[in-house]
Amino acid sequence: MTNTLTLEQNTDDKTWYPNRINQLEDHLLCLISKNLYFTKEKAKGIRKNISYSLQYIEFLYRVINDIKMSSVIHKQNMKSFLIHGTAVIEAIANFVVISQGHGKTTIWKSITKNHSNEYNLNSVTYKNEVEIFEKLESKVSTSMTFDTLIKKVESKKLFGNSFPIYSKIKPLRQLRNKIHIHDSENSGDTDWYNFNKKEYELIKEVLFEILRSDLFNNNEFEGFKFLNE
């Protein structure tokens, strides 16, 4: 089978194909499986979504390396690689944080918000807003931001004591937020300047280290070699 992306579909040996979903799921299974916090079905859904993203990431790698394209499209592909790669990291971090008992919980459920009419005070217009919460009988899980997940993972060394690059995860969050293209601060804050080989190599390095970390019991799956090339 060819090692480069090709549009030929005649024979198997001329058609590139990424890691198969079942192979990726098998690799993830030793971590992302049923536990106290995740049902079997929920864990399976997370495993599948991560596998889909990993297969797409490998496809983007081949596109970036094998197909000639304009410099703008080249950078947009690197941006997509980083965004999908960071989504994988966030999903793994979320699973690990919650599974190890560090998830965010609350005993309050928001019921409604009440707004007052506008009123004037000293020539300034105000209005009041009151949110009503119901106290629950027991704690329930609540979502965490990627920033919160990163801080918990790093402070508690949840990717293992031997994981070498905790400090390199945070910059990925900031780059992932560039998906909001309306947030550009100035003419230099564009995808053209924000997504280069340095950022591309960063996401590859972090993804490779996580997927080959102690989280996965040093699994011998070789399908992530492209992240280390």
Side-chain angles (χ1 to χ4, degrees):
M1 186 175 289
T2 181
N3 289 322
T4 59
L5 188 64
T6 175
L7 299 180
E8 295 182 48
Q9 299 293 326
N10 298 325
T11 58
D12 286 344
D13 62 341
K14 290 185 179 180
T15 302
W16 173 84
Y17 199 83
N19 291 311
R20 284 167 165 56
I21 295 300
N22 65 322
Q23 294 175 311
L24 294 166
E25 283 194 80
D26 286 347
H27 178 78
L28 298 170
L29 184 61
C30 63
L31 171 69
I32 302 175
S33 57
K34 178 183 177 181
N35 58 36
L36 182 64
Y37 301 92
F38 291 89
T39 65
K40 180 180 179 180
E41 285 303 305
K42 189 166 185 178
K44 183 178 181 180
I46 295 169
R47 246 186 356 258
K48 284 187 174 296
N49 277 337
I50 293 176
S51 297
Y52 301 154
S53 290
L54 287 172
Q55 192 180 74
Y56 182 57
I57 286 165
E58 188 178 1
F59 166 73
L60 283 174
Y61 171 80
R62 289 264 59 100
V63 170
I64 290 167
N65 283 272
D66 297 347
I67 297 181
K68 285 187 176 182
M69 62 194 82
S70 76
S71 56
V72 170
I73 294 175
H74 184 74
K75 292 199 175 190
Q76 289 297 91
N77 279 324
M78 289 196 292
K79 176 181 179 178
S80 294
F81 189 103
L82 188 143
I83 288 171
H84 285 276
T86 304
V88 168
I89 294 169
E90 183 176 18
I92 292 173
N94 186 71
F95 189 90
V96 171
V97 167
I98 294 174
S99 296
Q100 296 197 25
H102 303 297
K104 185 178 179 182
T105 60
T106 182
I107 58 170
W108 296 100
K109 178 182 179 181
S110 178
I111 302 299
T112 186
K113 290 183 180 180
N114 297 319
H115 305 269
S116 73
N117 294 326
E118 294 182 0
Y119 60 93
N120 292 313
L121 183 64
N122 297 326
S123 300
V124 179
T125 302
Y126 299 91
K127 72 173 183 177
N128 297 331
E129 180 179 299
V130 178
E131 187 170 5
I132 309 299
F133 291 87
E134 175 187 355
K135 190 173 184 179
L136 304 174
E137 293 183 0
S138 58
K139 293 180 179 180
V140 295
S141 297
T142 186
S143 61
M144 293 170 281
T145 65
F146 191 21
D147 186 51
T148 297
L149 290 170
I150 292 169
K151 289 175 180 176
K152 286 179 179 286
V153 163
E154 183 172 5
S155 65
K156 301 179 185 300
K157 298 293 184 287
L158 298 183
F159 287 169
N161 291 325
S162 61
F163 184 75
I165 50 173
Y166 282 103
S167 62
K168 292 188 177 183
I169 302 175
K170 186 174 181 179
L172 295 174
R173 179 192 67 82
Q174 297 163 336
L175 287 166
R176 193 276 305 271
N177 288 345
K178 297 296 182 182
I179 192 174
H180 305 295
I181 59 177
H182 63 279
D183 283 344
S184 179
E185 296 291 337
N186 52 64
S187 61
D189 185 18
T190 68
D191 291 347
W192 174 263
Y193 294 106
N194 291 323
F195 296 95
N196 296 289
K197 186 174 181 180
K198 176 182 176 183
E199 289 73 31
Y200 177 58
E201 294 300 330
L202 174 64
I203 182 61
K204 285 171 58 185
E205 179 186 7
V206 176
L207 259 181
F208 182 78
E209 292 293 345
I210 291 175
L211 292 168
R212 300 286 292 170
S213 70
D214 293 343
L215 290 173
F216 300 98
N217 298 328
N218 294 316
N219 192 306
E220 293 302 317
F221 178 57
E222 297 295 327
F224 303 122
K225 283 184 176 181
F226 71 96
L227 294 170
N228 199 34
E229 291 176 353

